[in-house]
Amino acid sequence: MRFSPFLAAVAAAMLLAPSPATATAKAAAPAAEESDREIVLAQLDYTTGLSVTFTDSVPSDEVGMVQTGPIGRAPLIVLDDEDTLLETYLEVTPPDVAVPRRLVEDHGADLPAELQRRRITSEPVTAGGLTAPASAVRSGTASCTWSIFGWTGWHDDGMPGLPAKSYSTFDFGGFKQKIAESYVANCTPPSSTSNLWARHRVYYRNALGNFVKHFEGIVPPAHHQAVVKKGAIKRHRAVSYDDNWNADPACFDCIYAREGRFRS
């Protein structure tokens, strides 16, 4: 691999200050970043327009959940602080939808009774036309000043010219955490061209001290997205945000909000 002067500077900066979180410049291009391989465990599509993907990451061996849908039409699924991703999956899918074996393995030995009537599979699961139970859907109308979490590590309301930003566990006492959760609402008007997206990335720090990308998503205008990545061990983690209109203050209709937290 040929390293550019920019990447060399980034690497040197990381040695002095391990967190990438205080940088406000754009992150390196995706092709230049070390990344996990994301394996889709299940792709679920709901009648509201919400798309939910459960994933496994290699080599980090961490499971995740990504929700994306239109603001105002697709309420997000509640991620209870105490629930595992298996428990969430069982709540938001009907009994005839198979359960990914990887989610069962991640849950641990004390398996939910509901699992006894479900088929477990090692193959990717695809299901559409689903309706999430009311108990699992978050109430409230998403906006660029709205919070989806009970508490947050950071929250930036949408405003014109919101600069690129990253947050890491180094910004919150430097403690390693098992879970990274992040949310983006792209409040750019629905009539906007689809290229006006917000970019959303989640990282973990590996044994070599490098930040590795778990996830990268783009959020189109008038959509929102919530991501959770979790593993069995505590790690230093980071979440990074930017936009495709370069935070131009003159683009007063181009607005996105962001928030998230790290926890164990």
Side-chain angles (χ1 to χ4, degrees):
M1 178 182 294
R2 183 174 63 86
F3 290 94
S4 69
F6 170 73
L7 290 177
V10 170
M14 286 180 65
L15 289 175
L16 295 175
S19 169
T22 56
T24 56
K26 298 286 185 181
E33 294 181 306
E34 186 176 353
S35 302
D36 265 3
R37 180 168 62 92
E38 286 282 83
I39 300 170
V40 174
L41 301 175
Q43 177 61 53
L44 310 175
D45 294 302
Y46 292 81
T47 55
T48 58
L50 181 68
S51 173
V52 180
T53 308
F54 288 83
T55 63
D56 190 14
S57 292
V58 178
S60 64
D61 195 30
E62 296 200 352
V63 293
M65 177 181 174
V66 181
Q67 307 181 61
T68 308
I71 293 173
R73 189 165 69 85
L76 298 181
I77 291 167
V78 176
L79 295 176
D80 190 285
D81 287 359
E82 303 304 318
D83 285 353
T84 65
L85 290 187
L86 172 63
E87 290 169 321
T88 298
Y89 185 93
L90 293 175
E91 187 176 9
V92 302
T93 55
D96 61 336
V97 175
V99 178
R101 187 176 303 279
R102 178 69 180 88
L103 295 183
V104 177
E105 295 169 349
D106 176 72
H107 178 87
D110 186 19
L111 294 174
E114 163 72 12
L115 199 61
Q116 296 177 7
R117 62 179 183 139
R118 303 290 289 268
R119 180 171 66 89
I120 299 173
T121 181
S122 298
E123 299 298 319
V125 176
T126 302
L130 301 179
T131 301
S135 61
V137 175
R138 185 172 298 279
S139 61
T141 302
S143 72
C144 268
T145 59
W146 187 64
S147 175
I148 73 161
F149 299 122
W151 58 270
T152 61
W154 62 93
H155 176 94
D156 298 314
D157 284 347
M159 58 179 289
L162 192 66
K165 182 71 175 179
S166 296
Y167 297 89
S168 90
T169 50
F170 292 103
D171 298 319
F172 302 96
F175 301 111
K176 296 180 180 180
Q177 303 288 333
K178 289 184 178 181
I179 303 171
E181 293 176 287
S182 181
Y183 172 74
V184 171
N186 187 346
C187 299
T188 302
S191 58
S192 303
T193 55
S194 60
N195 66 302
L196 294 176
W197 41 256
R199 188 163 59 151
H200 192 191
R201 285 148 295 159
V202 180
Y203 300 83
Y204 71 95
R205 196 180 187 209
N206 66 14
L208 298 176
N210 302 319
F211 274 94
V212 180
K213 186 168 60 182
H214 263 316
F215 164 82
E216 177 166 6
I218 60 173
V219 187
H223 283 65
H224 56 169
Q225 183 177 82
V227 178
V228 56
K229 293 295 296 186
K230 64 181 291 292
I233 63 173
K234 294 183 178 182
R235 303 176 188 266
H236 287 300
R237 300 179 183 275
V239 179
S240 187
Y241 312 90
D242 59 19
D243 60 68
N244 200 38
W245 54 87
N246 299 315
D248 184 351
C251 186
F252 291 105
D253 286 339
C254 298
I255 298 173
Y256 78 100
R258 59 206 182 195
E259 72 171 29
R261 60 185 182 176
F262 304 114
R263 63 186 180 89
S264 290

